[in-house]
């Protein structure tokens, strides 16, 4: 569905995206992960035709975005970081307008359908400028899917939403992807990616540093937090001796952080049980991978 | 077709804003004042003409009333069009809604043309809202219908020229105030150029004189060419400017 090859974008002397290549299959949900300024938005904007690339190609459904922008864009629904809303219009007017410029056969019907899908029926007649941030974000998403595109590109669809709204948006994206829709979404909220995505692409300073299935990337790498009643140097040594443990840090008060290469919770528990194991928890593994790859690790 | 959707949205957003109604109301009030002044002057003139045979031979409704009517609207447009055109691109860039248009399957030409037609539609609405003024002439006299047709055409072309120039200004900045100042500076310069003498090339560039003959019922190919070239140039320049947004 998406084929990006050797994409480079330069702003003056700054290199925003450097030689980026990746592809996304039809029906996949792929998460774009990276720190602020890593080049996520730039890549998405190039893919959606808002920005020209310095070099390289971006294809959607086999169509080059630069060569045949109209055909490519009619297949894409794009939600920018800031939802592009005309605040003086009502939700329904706005979505009808979007449906018209995106070339749907029946704009009113398409708008009503999008309103239903995103749960905007109760505010459809209201002026967008008077809506809360959560509703505005939903109008932005409705705009992206009003022409039922094959590909949804969502730039931080969850920013500024409360947990309930996040869960709703997540459900909506899952529902869309259960159909034929391909989804590329960016976020820096890691649990979102783990909950939603089949695959993650991690970028840093405009370059891809890892791309794989969520499980494979998480792959047991992580940190196990351990609390024991009777801490001792002997315990630390025993833990360190386990196969697959990288390091053990004693944090005092019986708290240990055990860095592991794979899932070692069972082994660690067995070792620590004699020292009076009180608590064992596994920290977010993806987060760890992310920090390690983007050089943000402590 | 998609340019029409953009034009329609532009037009309805003018009517959805307080500014739109304020501009329309203010324009009608001032145009009405101008109309009653020129009507009073014409009545005075024709009363003098009843006792002065020379004046009677010079009395011409097209010359002394109809062209005055269009002239006063034309002058108002020099100030009003920049206030309308400033809204065309500057707020779209500031609110990042331009992103919606740039990522929709519409060409940049559709965007530029749609916005231009939307603004022109609003000025046409303003212009034709003044139609009741001259319509009352048929009550008492026999005005030249042709002069009205060409007068409206000339005024619309003038508005189109001013709007296209203002639209370019609006595409260069995210501030509506800056867009307004740039557009009105351009409009005033093009207005004042006519003082450079009748035969100079600078005066040929002045925008209002090219509409003046049409206000008197005379259509010249040179004037039509001027407006076509003027509007075409600024639409093209705006197109290039909007396209450049993809590269910034």
């Amino acid at each position: 569905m998406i084929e990006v090859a050797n994409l480079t974008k330069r702003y003056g002397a700054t290199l925003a995206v450097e030689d980026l290549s990746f592809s996304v299959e039809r029906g996949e949900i792929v998460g774009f992960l990276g720190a602020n300024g890593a080049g996520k938005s730039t890549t998405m904007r190039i893919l959606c035709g808002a920005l020209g690339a310095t070099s390289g190609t971006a294809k959607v459904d086999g169509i080059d975005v630069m060569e045949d922008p109209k055909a490519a864009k009619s297949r894409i629904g794009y939600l920018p970081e800031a939802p592009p809303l005309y605040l003086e219009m009502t939700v329904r007017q706005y979505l009808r307008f979007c449906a018209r410029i995106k070339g749907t056969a029946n704009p009113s019907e398409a708008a009503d359908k999008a309103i239903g899908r995103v749960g905007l029926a109760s505010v459809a007649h209201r002026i967008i400028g008077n809506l809360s941030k959560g509703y505005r974000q939903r109008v932005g998403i409705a705009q992206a899917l009003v022409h039922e595109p094959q590909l949804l590109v969502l730039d931080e669809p969850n920013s500024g939403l409360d947990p309930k709204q996040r869960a709703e948006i997540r459900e909506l994206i899952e529902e869309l992807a259960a159909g034929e829709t391909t989804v590329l979404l960016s976020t820096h909220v890691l649990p979102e990616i783990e909950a939603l995505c089949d695959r993650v692409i991690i970028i840093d300073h405009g370059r891809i540093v890892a791309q794989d299935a969520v499980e494979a990337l998480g792959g047991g790498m992580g940190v196990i937090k351990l609390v024991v009643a009777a801490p001792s140097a002997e315990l630390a040594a025993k833990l360190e001796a386990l196969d697959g443990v990288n390091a053990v840090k004693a944090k005092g008060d019986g708290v240990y952080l055990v860095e592991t290469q794979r899932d070692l919770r069972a082994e660690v528990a067995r070792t620590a049980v004699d020292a009076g194991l009180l608590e064992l928890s596994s920290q977010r593994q993806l987060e760890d991978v992310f920090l390690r790859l983007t050089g943000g690790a402590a | 077709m998609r340019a029409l959707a953009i034009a329609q949205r532009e037009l309805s957003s003018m009517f959805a804003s307080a500014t739109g109604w304020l501009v329309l109301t203010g324009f009608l009030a001032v145009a009405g004042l101008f109309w009653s002044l020129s009507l009073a002057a014409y009545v005075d003139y024709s009363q003098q003409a009843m006792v002065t045979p020379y004046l009677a031979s010079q009395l011409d409704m097209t010359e002394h009333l109809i062209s005055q009517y269009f002239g006063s609207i034309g002058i108002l447009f020099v100030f009003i069009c920049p206030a309308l055109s400033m809204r065309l691109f500057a707020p779209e860039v500031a609110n990042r809604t331009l992103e919606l248009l740039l990522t929709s399957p519409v060409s940049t030409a559709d965007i530029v043309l749609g916005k231009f037609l939307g603004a022109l539609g609003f000025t046409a609405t303003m212009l034709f809202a003044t139609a009741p003024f001259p319509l009352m002439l048929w009550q008492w006299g026999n005005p030249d219908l042709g002069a009205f047709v060409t007068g409206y055409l000339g005024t619309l072309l003038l508005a189109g020229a001013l709007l296209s120039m203002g639209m370019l200004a609006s595409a260069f900045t995210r501030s509506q105030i800056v867009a307004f100042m740039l557009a009105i500076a351009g409009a005033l310069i093009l207005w004042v150029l006519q003082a450079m003498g009748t035969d100079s090339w600078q005066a040929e560039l002045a925008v209002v004189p090219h509409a003046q003959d049409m206000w008197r019922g005379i259509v010249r190919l040179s004037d039509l060419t001027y407006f076509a070239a003027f509007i075409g140039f600024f639409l093209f320049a705006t197109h290039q400017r909007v396209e450049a947004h993809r590269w910034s």
Side-chain angles (χ1 to χ4, degrees):
Chain A
M1 193 68 211
I2 306 177
E3 284 161 68
V4 170
N6 310 105
L7 202 68
T8 299
K9 174 70 186 176
R10 210 183 284 274
Y11 294 105
T14 332
L15 208 53
V17 170
E18 190 180 352
D19 200 25
L20 213 68
S21 301
F22 66 90
S23 60
V24 176
E25 296 301 314
R26 193 175 296 272
E28 253 190 319
I29 308 185
V30 173
F32 230 25
L33 200 56
N36 287 327
K40 300 183 300 260
S41 293
T42 303
T43 310
M44 289 180 146
R45 294 183 67 208
I46 293 171
L47 191 59
C48 297
L51 207 60
T54 309
S55 65
T57 57
K59 283 183 187 172
V60 171
D61 200 16
I63 300 161
D64 191 309
V65 177
M66 329 270 174
E67 273 169 18
D68 192 355
K70 260 191 176 178
K73 287 175 191 172
S74 63
R75 288 164 169 78
I76 308 175
Y78 172 51
L79 172 71
E81 225 174 327
L85 307 173
Y86 292 106
L87 300 181
E88 77 279 5
M89 298 175 98
T90 69
V91 172
R92 183 170 275 121
Q93 277 173 344
Y94 171 73
L95 291 174
R96 273 186 196 161
F97 169 68
C98 294
R100 277 185 79 186
I101 59 172
K102 290 172 187 215
T104 56
N106 188 338
S108 308
E109 207 173 89
D112 285 340
K113 200 171 168 194
I115 285 169
R117 269 175 118 176
V118 185
L120 286 167
S122 60
V123 296
H125 59 281
R126 287 182 57 187
I127 304 261
I128 296 174
N130 296 338
L131 296 180
S132 68
K133 194 165 180 192
Y135 273 121
R136 286 189 196 189
Q137 189 72 9
R138 281 203 229 184
V139 178
I141 293 176
Q143 163 276 126
L145 48 83
V146 73
H147 55 306
E148 304 191 15
Q150 301 166 26
L151 170 65
L152 272 179
V153 178
L154 309 173
D155 200 349
E156 305 207 358
N158 275 324
S159 71
L161 299 187
D162 64 35
K164 184 167 171 280
Q165 291 165 333
R166 282 185 183 198
E168 283 169 5
I169 301 281
R170 195 190 304 155
E171 267 169 40
L172 177 71
I173 294 172
E174 272 170 347
E175 194 187 303
L176 287 167
E180 277 286 83
T181 317
T182 311
V183 182
L184 178 67
L185 65 94
S186 81
T187 176
H188 41 233
V189 183
L190 293 153
E192 289 303 334
I193 294 240
E194 286 181 311
L196 260 174
C197 301
D198 307 318
R199 205 151 59 83
V200 192
I201 297 172
I202 301 181
I203 65 174
D204 187 42
H205 294 102
R207 266 179 296 202
I208 293 182
V209 289
Q211 55 173 323
D212 212 333
V214 175
E215 300 77 36
L217 267 185
M221 276 221 271
V223 176
I224 296 170
K225 187 185 169 197
L226 204 60
V227 186
V228 294
S232 66
E234 193 194 344
L235 173 65
K238 267 199 213 163
L239 287 171
E240 210 145 351
L242 286 174
D243 185 31
V245 170
N246 285 341
V248 177
K249 280 183 210 152
K251 300 294 249 188
D253 292 331
V255 179
Y256 292 90
L257 293 179
V258 184
E259 252 179 64
T260 59
Q261 287 169 1
R262 51 174 202 275
D263 188 357
L264 287 175
R265 280 173 299 180
E267 290 83 347
V268 169
R270 221 171 290 135
T271 313
V273 80
D274 291 335
L277 179 62
L278 297 175
E279 198 183 316
L280 184 147
S281 59
S282 171
Q283 288 191 355
R284 289 252 164 248
Q285 294 167 333
L286 191 58
E287 198 157 331
D288 201 50
V289 176
F290 173 65
L291 289 175
R292 199 184 301 244
L293 288 171
T294 57
Chain B
M1 273 321 282
R2 295 184 194 177
L4 277 185
I6 292 171
Q8 218 171 62
R9 201 207 70 78
E10 211 53 60
L11 192 59
S12 60
S13 99
M14 301 248 182
F15 281 112
S17 73
T19 327
W21 288 102
L22 217 65
V23 166
L24 181 60
T25 317
F27 167 76
L28 285 180
V30 179
L33 184 69
F34 275 142
W35 169 251
S36 44
L37 288 177
S38 33
L39 199 60
Y42 185 72
V43 170
D44 254 11
Y45 194 92
S46 40
Q47 275 170 347
Q48 285 171 34
M50 278 196 268
V51 291
T52 322
Y54 171 72
L55 281 182
S57 72
Q58 295 293 305
L59 189 64
D60 180 348
M61 191 186 263
T62 304
E63 188 69 32
H64 293 115
L65 194 55
I66 300 175
S67 75
Q68 296 293 316
Y69 159 71
F70 287 117
S72 63
I73 290 178
I75 299 312
L76 286 176
F77 274 2
V78 168
F79 295 94
I80 286 174
C81 287
L84 296 175
S85 61
M86 71 180 186
R87 309 173 68 257
L88 290 176
F89 278 103
E92 296 254 12
V93 176
N95 301 332
R96 302 175 74 172
T97 43
L98 189 60
E99 196 105 337
L100 171 69
L101 301 178
L102 290 181
T103 57
S104 291
V106 290
S107 62
T108 306
D110 282 335
I111 298 173
V112 171
L113 198 63
K115 285 188 164 282
F116 174 71
L117 290 178
L120 192 63
F122 190 76
T123 50
T125 311
M126 294 202 307
L127 181 59
F128 291 117
T130 65
F133 305 159
L135 275 180
M136 56 174 99
L137 292 181
W138 268 275
Q139 189 79 29
W140 297 289
N142 186 24
D144 178 6
L145 181 66
F148 278 106
V149 174
T150 65
Y152 280 119
L153 176 70
T155 313
L156 277 179
L157 286 172
L158 173 66
L162 293 167
L163 288 171
S164 66
M165 186 169 64
M167 181 162 70
L168 178 65
S170 182
F172 265 105
T173 168
R174 52 181 59 215
S175 155
Q176 295 191 46
I177 304 289
V178 173
F180 176 75
M181 300 301 252
L182 283 174
I184 207 153
L188 288 178
I189 288 169
L190 283 174
W191 187 32
V192 168
L193 274 181
Q194 57 190 300
M196 300 291 287
T198 43
D199 279 335
S200 71
W201 62 269
Q202 293 99 327
E204 270 307 305
L205 282 181
V207 66
V208 175
H210 288 280
Q212 260 159 358
D213 276 343
M214 282 185 254
W215 294 338
R216 288 200 210 94
I218 304 159
V219 180
R220 283 183 219 279
L221 191 60
S222 65
D223 292 332
L224 293 180
T225 315
Y226 171 87
F227 280 116
F230 191 106
I231 294 171
F233 169 77
F234 280 104
L235 290 186
F236 176 73
T238 310
H239 177 277
Q240 297 307 96
R241 173 62 199 148
V242 173
E243 201 49 39
H245 272 284
R246 288 188 215 273
W247 299 99
S248 62

